[in-house]
């Protein structure tokens, strides 16, 4: 059984995407609502998302971006 942070993270990253998402969601659910950087309701973030959505650029699926690395 993994015991260190790096071992746990390494094992988690080998899981299928749906399982990683489930773990991430569960972990985020344990944090306080006011934890810095976790809100998707922040005014700055919403403005930036709106700007990017309306700038006319083509979008690229995240899976394609990950393949580039």
């Amino acid at each position: 059984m993994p015991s260190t942070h790096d071992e746990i993270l390494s094992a988690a990253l080998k899981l299928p995407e749906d399982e990683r998402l489930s773990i991430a969601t569960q972990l985020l659910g344990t944090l306080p609502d006011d934890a810095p950087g976790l809100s998707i309701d922040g005014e700055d973030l919403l403005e930036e998302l709106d700007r990017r959505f309306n700038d006319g650029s083509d979008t690229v699926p995240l899976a394609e971006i990950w393949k580039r690395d």
Side-chain angles (χ1 to χ4, degrees):
M1 171 110 188
S3 59
T4 69
H5 171 271
D6 290 336
E7 291 171 329
I8 293 168
L9 180 59
S10 178
L13 291 173
K14 293 175 185 172
L15 295 171
E17 183 175 335
D18 62 326
E19 292 180 33
R20 293 192 320 269
L21 179 59
S22 175
I23 290 171
T25 302
Q26 290 175 53
L27 286 172
L28 287 173
T30 67
L31 299 175
D33 290 338
D34 61 350
L38 295 178
S39 174
I40 61 167
D41 298 323
E43 184 70 25
D44 292 339
L45 176 60
L46 294 174
E47 286 177 12
E48 179 63 14
L49 291 173
D50 189 49
R51 183 192 68 77
R52 290 182 184 201
F53 180 75
N54 292 308
D55 74 356
S57 298
D58 291 333
T59 60
V60 178
L62 184 57
E64 184 178 322
I65 292 171
W66 284 347
K67 289 178 186 176
R68 295 178 187 175
D69 290 338

